[in-house]
Structures are given as structure tokens and as C-alpha cells.
Short mmCIF file of all heavy atoms in Angstrom, two decimals:
data_model
loop_
_atom_site.label_atom_id
_atom_site.label_comp_id
_atom_site.label_asym_id
_atom_site.label_seq_id
_atom_site.Cartn_x
_atom_site.Cartn_y
_atom_site.Cartn_z
N HIS P 823 53.58 -83.81 144.48
CA HIS P 823 52.98 -84.78 143.57
C HIS P 823 52.84 -86.10 144.32
O HIS P 823 53.76 -86.53 145.01
CB HIS P 823 53.87 -84.97 142.34
CG HIS P 823 53.46 -86.12 141.48
ND1 HIS P 823 54.11 -87.33 141.52
CD2 HIS P 823 52.46 -86.25 140.59
CE1 HIS P 823 53.53 -88.17 140.67
NE2 HIS P 823 52.53 -87.53 140.10
N PHE P 824 51.69 -86.71 144.18
CA PHE P 824 51.47 -88.01 144.79
C PHE P 824 50.66 -88.84 143.82
O PHE P 824 49.65 -88.40 143.28
CB PHE P 824 50.69 -87.87 146.11
CG PHE P 824 50.37 -89.19 146.74
CD1 PHE P 824 51.35 -89.90 147.42
CD2 PHE P 824 49.11 -89.74 146.63
CE1 PHE P 824 51.06 -91.14 147.98
CE2 PHE P 824 48.82 -90.97 147.18
CZ PHE P 824 49.80 -91.66 147.86
N SER P 825 51.10 -90.04 143.57
CA SER P 825 50.38 -90.93 142.67
C SER P 825 49.86 -92.13 143.44
O SER P 825 50.58 -92.71 144.25
CB SER P 825 51.30 -91.41 141.53
OG SER P 825 50.58 -92.30 140.71
N THR P 826 48.64 -92.47 143.17
CA THR P 826 48.06 -93.67 143.76
C THR P 826 48.23 -94.87 142.84
O THR P 826 47.79 -95.96 143.16
CB THR P 826 46.55 -93.46 144.03
OG1 THR P 826 45.91 -93.16 142.80
CG2 THR P 826 46.32 -92.38 145.05
N TYR P 827 48.85 -94.62 141.68
CA TYR P 827 49.02 -95.66 140.67
C TYR P 827 47.68 -96.29 140.35
O TYR P 827 46.73 -95.58 140.06
CB TYR P 827 50.10 -96.66 141.06
CG TYR P 827 51.44 -95.98 141.20
CD1 TYR P 827 51.91 -95.61 142.46
CD2 TYR P 827 52.20 -95.64 140.09
CE1 TYR P 827 53.13 -94.95 142.59
CE2 TYR P 827 53.41 -94.97 140.22
CZ TYR P 827 53.86 -94.63 141.47
OH TYR P 827 55.04 -93.96 141.59
N LYS P 828 47.55 -97.58 140.45
CA LYS P 828 46.31 -98.24 140.04
C LYS P 828 45.25 -98.31 141.14
O LYS P 828 44.16 -98.84 140.91
CB LYS P 828 46.62 -99.64 139.52
CG LYS P 828 47.43 -99.61 138.25
CD LYS P 828 47.70 -100.99 137.74
CE LYS P 828 48.50 -100.91 136.46
NZ LYS P 828 48.71 -102.22 135.87
N THR P 829 45.53 -97.77 142.30
CA THR P 829 44.54 -97.85 143.38
C THR P 829 43.55 -96.69 143.37
O THR P 829 42.64 -96.65 144.20
CB THR P 829 45.23 -97.90 144.76
OG1 THR P 829 45.98 -96.71 144.94
CG2 THR P 829 46.10 -99.11 144.90
N TRP P 830 43.67 -95.75 142.43
CA TRP P 830 42.81 -94.58 142.42
C TRP P 830 41.33 -94.96 142.38
O TRP P 830 40.52 -94.37 143.08
CB TRP P 830 43.16 -93.62 141.29
CG TRP P 830 42.88 -94.15 139.91
CD1 TRP P 830 43.75 -94.83 139.10
CD2 TRP P 830 41.66 -94.07 139.20
NE1 TRP P 830 43.13 -95.17 137.93
CE2 TRP P 830 41.83 -94.71 137.96
CE3 TRP P 830 40.41 -93.52 139.48
CZ2 TRP P 830 40.83 -94.83 137.01
CZ3 TRP P 830 39.40 -93.63 138.52
CH2 TRP P 830 39.63 -94.28 137.31
N ASP P 831 40.94 -95.95 141.58
CA ASP P 831 39.53 -96.27 141.47
C ASP P 831 39.01 -96.94 142.75
O ASP P 831 37.88 -96.73 143.14
CB ASP P 831 39.25 -97.14 140.25
CG ASP P 831 37.77 -97.15 139.91
OD1 ASP P 831 37.15 -96.06 139.94
OD2 ASP P 831 37.23 -98.23 139.64
N MET P 832 39.85 -97.73 143.40
CA MET P 832 39.45 -98.32 144.67
C MET P 832 39.25 -97.22 145.72
O MET P 832 38.28 -97.25 146.48
CB MET P 832 40.51 -99.33 145.17
CG MET P 832 40.13 -99.97 146.48
SD MET P 832 41.26 -101.26 147.06
CE MET P 832 42.85 -100.65 146.67
N LEU P 833 40.15 -96.25 145.75
CA LEU P 833 40.01 -95.13 146.68
C LEU P 833 38.74 -94.33 146.36
O LEU P 833 38.00 -93.93 147.27
CB LEU P 833 41.23 -94.22 146.62
CG LEU P 833 42.51 -94.82 147.17
CD1 LEU P 833 43.70 -93.93 146.84
CD2 LEU P 833 42.40 -95.05 148.66
N ARG P 834 38.48 -94.09 145.07
CA ARG P 834 37.25 -93.39 144.68
C ARG P 834 36.03 -94.13 145.19
O ARG P 834 35.12 -93.54 145.77
CB ARG P 834 37.18 -93.26 143.15
CG ARG P 834 35.91 -92.54 142.67
CD ARG P 834 35.48 -92.95 141.27
NE ARG P 834 35.38 -94.39 141.06
CZ ARG P 834 34.35 -95.16 141.43
NH1 ARG P 834 33.33 -94.64 142.08
NH2 ARG P 834 34.35 -96.45 141.17
N PHE P 835 36.01 -95.46 145.01
CA PHE P 835 34.89 -96.28 145.46
C PHE P 835 34.71 -96.19 146.98
O PHE P 835 33.60 -95.96 147.47
CB PHE P 835 35.12 -97.74 145.05
CG PHE P 835 34.11 -98.69 145.61
CD1 PHE P 835 32.86 -98.81 145.03
CD2 PHE P 835 34.41 -99.47 146.72
CE1 PHE P 835 31.92 -99.69 145.56
CE2 PHE P 835 33.48 -100.35 147.24
CZ PHE P 835 32.23 -100.46 146.67
N LEU P 836 35.79 -96.35 147.72
CA LEU P 836 35.70 -96.31 149.19
C LEU P 836 35.25 -94.94 149.70
O LEU P 836 34.42 -94.85 150.61
CB LEU P 836 37.04 -96.69 149.81
CG LEU P 836 37.46 -98.15 149.62
CD1 LEU P 836 38.89 -98.36 150.10
CD2 LEU P 836 36.50 -99.09 150.33
N LEU P 837 35.79 -93.88 149.11
CA LEU P 837 35.39 -92.54 149.53
C LEU P 837 33.93 -92.26 149.18
O LEU P 837 33.21 -91.62 149.97
CB LEU P 837 36.32 -91.49 148.92
CG LEU P 837 37.74 -91.50 149.48
CD1 LEU P 837 38.65 -90.59 148.65
CD2 LEU P 837 37.77 -91.10 150.94
N ALA P 838 33.48 -92.75 148.04
CA ALA P 838 32.06 -92.59 147.68
C ALA P 838 31.17 -93.34 148.66
O ALA P 838 30.13 -92.82 149.09
CB ALA P 838 31.82 -93.06 146.25
N ARG P 839 31.56 -94.55 149.03
CA ARG P 839 30.78 -95.33 150.00
C ARG P 839 30.73 -94.65 151.36
O ARG P 839 29.74 -94.73 152.07
CB ARG P 839 31.39 -96.73 150.18
CG ARG P 839 31.26 -97.66 149.02
CD ARG P 839 29.87 -98.25 148.87
NE ARG P 839 29.42 -98.98 150.02
CZ ARG P 839 29.28 -100.29 150.09
NH1 ARG P 839 29.56 -101.04 149.05
NH2 ARG P 839 28.85 -100.86 151.18
N ALA P 840 31.80 -93.94 151.71
CA ALA P 840 31.86 -93.21 152.98
C ALA P 840 31.18 -91.85 152.87
O ALA P 840 31.17 -91.09 153.83
CB ALA P 840 33.31 -93.04 153.42
N GLU P 841 30.61 -91.55 151.70
CA GLU P 841 29.97 -90.25 151.43
C GLU P 841 30.92 -89.09 151.73
O GLU P 841 30.56 -88.10 152.34
CB GLU P 841 28.66 -90.12 152.21
CG GLU P 841 27.64 -91.16 151.78
CD GLU P 841 26.32 -91.07 152.51
OE1 GLU P 841 26.20 -90.29 153.48
OE2 GLU P 841 25.41 -91.81 152.12
N PHE P 842 32.15 -89.25 151.27
CA PHE P 842 33.17 -88.23 151.47
C PHE P 842 32.72 -86.95 150.76
O PHE P 842 32.27 -87.00 149.61
CB PHE P 842 34.52 -88.71 150.92
CG PHE P 842 35.68 -87.95 151.47
CD1 PHE P 842 36.12 -88.17 152.76
CD2 PHE P 842 36.32 -87.00 150.70
CE1 PHE P 842 37.18 -87.45 153.29
CE2 PHE P 842 37.39 -86.28 151.20
CZ PHE P 842 37.82 -86.50 152.51
N PRO P 843 32.86 -85.78 151.39
CA PRO P 843 32.27 -84.55 150.84
C PRO P 843 33.03 -83.89 149.69
O PRO P 843 32.52 -82.95 149.08
CB PRO P 843 32.27 -83.62 152.06
CG PRO P 843 33.43 -84.07 152.87
CD PRO P 843 33.46 -85.57 152.70
N VAL P 844 34.23 -84.36 149.37
CA VAL P 844 35.05 -83.73 148.34
C VAL P 844 35.57 -84.81 147.40
O VAL P 844 36.02 -85.86 147.85
CB VAL P 844 36.24 -82.97 148.97
CG1 VAL P 844 37.10 -82.31 147.90
CG2 VAL P 844 35.75 -81.94 149.97
N ASN P 845 35.54 -84.52 146.11
CA ASN P 845 36.06 -85.49 145.14
C ASN P 845 37.57 -85.28 145.01
O ASN P 845 38.05 -84.61 144.11
CB ASN P 845 35.38 -85.33 143.79
CG ASN P 845 35.76 -86.42 142.82
OD1 ASN P 845 36.75 -87.14 143.01
ND2 ASN P 845 35.00 -86.55 141.76
N VAL P 846 38.32 -85.88 145.93
CA VAL P 846 39.78 -85.73 145.92
C VAL P 846 40.44 -86.60 144.87
O VAL P 846 41.61 -86.40 144.56
CB VAL P 846 40.40 -86.03 147.32
CG1 VAL P 846 39.92 -85.02 148.35
CG2 VAL P 846 40.09 -87.44 147.77
N ILE P 847 39.73 -87.53 144.30
CA ILE P 847 40.30 -88.40 143.27
C ILE P 847 40.28 -87.72 141.91
O ILE P 847 41.30 -87.66 141.22
CB ILE P 847 39.56 -89.75 143.20
CG1 ILE P 847 39.60 -90.47 144.56
CG2 ILE P 847 40.13 -90.63 142.09
CD1 ILE P 847 40.98 -90.78 145.08
N HIS P 848 39.15 -87.20 141.50
CA HIS P 848 39.03 -86.61 140.18
C HIS P 848 39.04 -85.09 140.18
O HIS P 848 39.09 -84.48 139.12
CB HIS P 848 37.75 -87.09 139.49
CG HIS P 848 37.78 -88.55 139.19
ND1 HIS P 848 36.96 -89.45 139.80
CD2 HIS P 848 38.54 -89.26 138.34
CE1 HIS P 848 37.21 -90.66 139.34
NE2 HIS P 848 38.17 -90.57 138.45
N GLY P 849 38.97 -84.46 141.34
CA GLY P 849 38.84 -83.01 141.38
C GLY P 849 37.40 -82.62 141.14
O GLY P 849 36.53 -83.46 140.91
N GLU P 850 37.13 -81.32 141.21
CA GLU P 850 35.74 -80.89 141.12
C GLU P 850 35.48 -79.78 140.11
O GLU P 850 34.36 -79.61 139.65
CB GLU P 850 35.25 -80.41 142.49
CG GLU P 850 35.25 -81.50 143.52
CD GLU P 850 34.78 -81.04 144.88
OE1 GLU P 850 34.81 -79.84 145.18
OE2 GLU P 850 34.39 -81.92 145.67
N GLU P 851 36.50 -79.01 139.78
CA GLU P 851 36.27 -77.85 138.92
C GLU P 851 37.12 -77.95 137.65
O GLU P 851 38.32 -77.70 137.68
CB GLU P 851 36.63 -76.57 139.68
CG GLU P 851 36.29 -75.32 138.94
CD GLU P 851 36.56 -74.09 139.77
OE1 GLU P 851 36.30 -74.08 140.98
OE2 GLU P 851 37.07 -73.11 139.18
N PRO P 852 36.49 -78.32 136.53
CA PRO P 852 37.27 -78.42 135.29
C PRO P 852 37.70 -77.03 134.80
O PRO P 852 37.01 -76.05 135.03
CB PRO P 852 36.32 -79.07 134.30
CG PRO P 852 34.99 -79.13 134.94
CD PRO P 852 35.11 -78.71 136.35
N PHE P 853 38.85 -77.00 134.18
CA PHE P 853 39.29 -75.79 133.49
C PHE P 853 39.95 -76.24 132.19
O PHE P 853 40.27 -77.41 132.04
CB PHE P 853 40.22 -74.93 134.36
CG PHE P 853 41.51 -75.59 134.74
CD1 PHE P 853 42.68 -75.31 134.05
CD2 PHE P 853 41.58 -76.49 135.80
CE1 PHE P 853 43.88 -75.90 134.40
CE2 PHE P 853 42.77 -77.09 136.15
CZ PHE P 853 43.93 -76.80 135.45
N ALA P 854 40.09 -75.34 131.25
CA ALA P 854 40.62 -75.68 129.93
C ALA P 854 39.85 -76.87 129.37
O ALA P 854 40.42 -77.88 128.97
CB ALA P 854 42.11 -75.98 130.01
#
């Protein structure tokens, strides 16, 4: 388990700007 606490949205923004190929912040495949 790893928590980014409140920095998750900043990481999401930076990874999106870098055109990162995987959504490691929110995941990609919903279930339930």
C-alpha cells in the first residue's frame, strides 16, 4: 500500500503532461 496523500492530483497532472502511457493514479479497468 502506498498513499500519495494530497499530491495525487499533482502527480496525475505531471504524468498527463508527460503523456505517460498508463493511468497509475486512477487505474484503468473499473470493476464492481
Side-chain angles (χ1 to χ4, degrees):
H823 169 259
F824 177 77
S825 178
T826 59
Y827 298 99
K828 294 181 180 184
T829 61
W830 67 268
D831 196 44
M832 181 176 39
L833 291 170
R834 180 207 51 81
F835 173 79
L836 292 172
L837 290 170
R839 291 284 302 251
E841 297 180 352
F842 199 75
V844 179
N845 187 344
V846 296
I847 302 300
H848 294 112
E850 297 180 339
E851 186 176 320
F853 63 99

